[in-house]
């Protein structure tokens, strides 16, 4: 092999190494941002659970709005990292955070409107203004629009996780003397369950796996509604939450995370 061929091979290997290092660094940055999105989304969910025990629900929702705006700015950083890249190459790096964001924003939407937020409504809020750096003589400087589109799979997985928060909201509502919310939640969860049932085993593996947890959440809420309807007059209101919590504990899935 001639010296020229050796130099060319060395140059090519150096280029490939730089490209791999660049992708690895980007992947690590996306993982870190995704963790930040997850943490802030969880904090928003914890805040929203307070609506069952405070007189001014709108104050909690407004505070959650501010937190969600901060989460969206983090998602804007993900969009910035993905500018000009193939989203699917890095999807596994940020999908946990996006699913947690979907769970938080859909929980917020349900508390305010008692409906399920659509994927289109979520994506409509993920539009960001960014400044162009203007590199080169013909580069254009000024603001540009940057968007981030949540995939249908991440949306479905986030909605599936929402059902667990609604189940907890049901138990908390009963504990605070609210016997109407559990029946609203039961009907809403039944609609979500029916929608996921249409997908069944024909959809992605992750979605079908979430269906088991969804059914458990629905079963716990329906069990609470049954107890309220049949034995509600026999059990004092201040003891209802303890009764439902103990009954729910007997149906806990060992794979289900505790909060």
């Amino acid at each position: 092999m001639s010296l020229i061929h050796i130099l060319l091979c060395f140059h090519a290997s150096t280029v490939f190494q730089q490209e791999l290092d660049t992708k690895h660094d980007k992947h690590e940055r996306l993982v870190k941002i995704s963790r930040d999105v997850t943490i802030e989304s969880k904090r928003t969910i914890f805040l929203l659970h307070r609506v069952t025990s405070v007189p001014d629900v709108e104050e909690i929702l407004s505070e959650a709005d501010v937190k969600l705006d901060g989460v969206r700015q983090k998602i804007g950083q993900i969009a910035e990292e993905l500018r000009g890249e193939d989203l699917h190459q890095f999807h596994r790096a940020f999908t946990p955070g996006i699913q947690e964001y979907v769970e938080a924003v859909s929980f917020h939407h349900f508390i305010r409107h008692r409906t399920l937020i659509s994927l289109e409504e979520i994506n409509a809020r993920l539009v960001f203004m960014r400044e162009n750096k203007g590199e080169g003589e013909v580069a254009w400087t000024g603001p540009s629009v940057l968007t981030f589109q949540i995939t249908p799979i991440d949306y479905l997985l986030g909605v599936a996780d929402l059902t667990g928060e609604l189940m907890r909201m049901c138990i908390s509502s009963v504990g605070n003397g609210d016997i109407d919310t559990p029946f609203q939640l039961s009907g809403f969860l039944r609609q979500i369950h029916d929608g996921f049932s249409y997908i069944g085993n024909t959809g992605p593996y992750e979605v079908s796996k979430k269906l088991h947890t969804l059914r458990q959440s629905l079963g716990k809420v329906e069990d609470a509604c049954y107890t309220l309807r049949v034995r509600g007059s026999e059990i004092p209101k201040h003891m209802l939450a303890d009764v439902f919590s103990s009954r729910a504990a007997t149906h806990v899935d060992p794979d289900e995370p505790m909060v």
Side-chain angles (χ1 to χ4, degrees), residues 24-215:
H24 177 75
D25 292 342
K26 186 183 292 290
H27 182 276
E28 291 302 312
R29 290 195 300 270
L30 287 169
V31 169
K32 184 179 183 302
I33 299 172
S34 176
R35 288 172 182 163
D36 293 339
V37 171
T38 299
I39 292 171
E40 293 304 318
S41 296
K42 285 184 179 295
R43 287 174 178 169
T44 304
I45 292 172
F46 295 153
L47 171 65
L48 289 170
H49 274 296
R50 292 172 51 196
V51 299
T52 60
S53 59
V54 297
D56 190 358
V57 174
E58 195 57 39
E59 181 180 351
I60 297 295
L61 291 175
S62 298
E63 187 177 346
D65 272 325
V66 175
K67 287 184 174 294
L68 288 174
D69 283 338
V71 176
R72 279 188 278 269
Q73 293 306 311
K74 293 287 186 182
I75 296 177
Q77 296 178 24
I78 295 178
E80 186 72 41
E81 290 285 352
L82 294 175
R83 190 199 295 252
E85 299 282 357
D86 181 4
L87 178 146
H88 299 286
Q89 286 188 7
F90 301 96
H91 183 250
R92 294 187 64 178
F94 60 82
T95 181
I98 297 302
Q99 292 176 32
E100 198 70 34
Y101 168 72
V102 171
E103 182 180 353
V105 75
S106 58
F107 191 29
H108 179 275
H109 185 88
F110 173 80
I111 293 172
R112 175 167 281 168
H113 302 288
R114 287 298 192 265
T115 58
L116 178 64
I117 191 171
S118 67
L119 176 60
E120 291 74 19
E121 290 176 288
I122 296 178
N123 283 334
R125 301 292 300 275
L126 300 178
V127 179
F128 313 97
M129 298 299 296
R130 291 291 188 269
E131 289 291 333
N132 288 319
K133 297 181 180 180
E135 299 177 355
E137 296 181 359
V138 296
W140 178 74
T141 59
S144 62
V145 177
L146 191 62
T147 62
F148 182 87
Q149 296 292 303
I150 292 177
T151 65
I153 301 301
D154 285 341
Y155 170 74
L156 289 174
L157 294 175
V159 170
D161 289 335
L162 167 68
T163 60
E165 303 305 330
L166 296 179
M167 182 271 294
R168 296 179 184 95
M169 182 182 180
C170 170
I171 304 302
S172 299
S173 298
V174 174
N176 290 284
D178 180 2
I179 60 175
D180 295 324
T181 297
F183 292 96
Q184 297 175 2
L185 291 172
S186 176
F188 182 68
L189 286 172
R190 172 58 62 181
Q191 291 178 342
I192 294 180
H193 174 269
D194 292 345
F196 272 80
S197 296
Y198 285 119
I199 300 175
N201 295 325
T202 61
Y205 169 74
E206 295 87 352
V207 176
S208 59
K209 186 177 179 181
K210 293 278 188 180
L211 188 57
H212 174 66
T213 305
L214 194 161
R215 284 172 178 156

Side-chain angles (χ1 to χ4, degrees), residues 174-179 232 234-242:
V174 174
N176 290 284
D178 180 2
I179 60 175
E234 303 174 3
I235 306 174
K237 285 187 176 181
H238 68 278
M239 295 178 60
L240 284 173
D242 294 334

